[in-house]
Amino acid sequence: MTNDVKESFNPDSPPAPAALAAKVRTLAPSMTRSMQRVAEAVAGDPAGCAALTVTGLAELTGTSEATVVRTARLLGYPGYRDLRLALAGLAAHQQSGRAPAVTADIAVDDPIADVVTKLAYDEQQTLADTAAGLDTVQLGAAVAAAATARRVDIYGIGASSLVGQDLAQKLLRIGLIAHAHMDPHLAVTNAVQLRSGDVAIAITHSGSTGDVIEPLRVAFDRGATTIAITGRPDGPVSQYADHVLTTSTARESELRPAAMSSRTSQLLVVDCLFIGVAQRTYETAAPALSASYEALAHRHTPRSR
């Protein structure tokens, strides 16, 4: 458990009351134990906690007033007063008798048109948050390494493996040697073959997926340039990464867990990385991409009968 939690208050977009529980679940792994107690209390009993002063909540959770305020800011609120208002709103929402939520904002009985609108908004917000938080210096360094790499190995499990495959296919089409490894055993055995001049990329939203961290560690030890694409820049994966590209910590729910909601931000980072590489290798990338289109053109032309 980390003891150095960075506050993430965004004054322009504090989370909506209905998103509070999802926010707690998302950030809890990076909180200290005392902050976790505060977060779990407000998510579990919003009405009760909304009635408490900062001193009362500190006493209830066995923490300090400073811890309560830090937790409020980490959850995205300017201070405890704003968190109390959100808790009161959440309590009122829960007591209104509305249908239960399928995601933080989507109810079971929402029309499909509303589902489309709400999900589209959520995706847009995730992309905006990722773009705003992406370190372009780190991205530039990652692009430079990948553009000149002898080979690029990519590690991902579950939904992250799909993002890894997407990146590998893009790089292959501009003439780079790239492989996406979904099998953790094959990932490690291939990582052993890497050396200086190669690049290894780990994709893990949690930053703590062992099957992704292990091959990255091996690649790091072998002298390859290592890159982590993660929603937890303070997670274990970062200790073996030369460059860290941070994705947005998207809101999650029972039917839309982090493995799904994080994919949007991961794909944005992957596209940024790919375009940067294509720009740097344009003289070879453009002909290679054109050749790949021509090779597949006949498959997209309707056959005459």
Side-chain angles (χ1 to χ4, degrees), residues 66-305:
T67 297
V68 171
V69 173
R70 284 197 299 270
T71 305
R73 291 186 61 82
L74 182 63
L75 291 174
Y77 301 95
Y80 181 62
R81 176 180 176 277
D82 303 273
L83 175 59
R84 285 185 71 183
L85 291 174
L87 291 174
L90 178 58
H93 174 81
Q94 292 175 340
Q95 294 168 6
S96 67
R98 290 188 59 188
V102 173
T103 76
D105 299 312
I106 299 174
V108 170
D109 59 355
D110 271 349
I112 193 64
D114 289 353
V115 171
V116 171
T117 299
K118 291 178 179 180
L119 282 179
Y121 175 81
D122 192 56
E123 298 282 348
Q124 291 168 6
Q125 190 61 53
T126 296
L127 291 173
D129 290 347
T130 298
L134 190 58
D135 187 330
T136 53
V137 174
Q138 290 285 301
L139 177 61
V143 165
T148 58
R150 182 182 68 100
R151 64 184 257 197
V152 178
D153 276 20
I154 306 163
Y155 316 124
I157 299 295
S160 294
S161 72
L162 302 177
V163 178
Q165 291 179 64
D166 180 75
L167 176 57
Q169 291 176 18
K170 285 182 168 71
L171 295 177
L172 284 168
R173 293 190 69 173
I174 60 172
L176 273 68
I177 299 174
H179 306 281
H181 300 287
M182 296 174 288
D183 184 300
H185 292 175
L186 288 176
V188 172
T189 56
N190 276 272
V192 170
Q193 307 303 321
L194 298 181
R195 60 177 185 267
S196 177
D198 296 328
V199 167
I201 302 174
I203 305 175
T204 164
H205 174 68
S206 68
S208 58
T209 307
D211 287 339
V212 173
I213 294 174
E214 180 61 14
L216 192 74
R217 181 191 64 78
V218 173
F220 182 82
D221 290 343
R222 293 283 171 169
T225 298
T226 53
I227 301 166
I229 299 175
T230 179
R232 302 285 190 276
D234 57 346
V237 71
S238 297
Q239 64 182 309
Y240 303 114
D242 295 308
H243 310 295
V244 178
L245 305 179
T246 305
T247 58
S248 168
T249 304
R251 289 184 296 170
E252 55 183 293
S253 68
E254 183 179 2
L255 295 186
R256 195 165 185 261
M260 293 174 61
S261 59
S262 63
R263 186 178 56 202
T264 299
S265 55
Q266 290 174 344
L267 286 171
L268 173 60
V269 173
V270 159
D271 281 350
C272 292
L273 180 61
F274 167 73
I275 292 298
V277 171
Q279 287 177 318
R280 282 180 172 255
T281 61
Y282 184 77
E283 290 187 1
T284 56
L289 192 59
S290 178
S292 70
Y293 279 127
E294 291 178 7
L296 295 174
H298 71 283
R299 294 182 176 274
H300 302 289
T301 302
R303 295 181 179 178
S304 58
R305 295 187 179 182

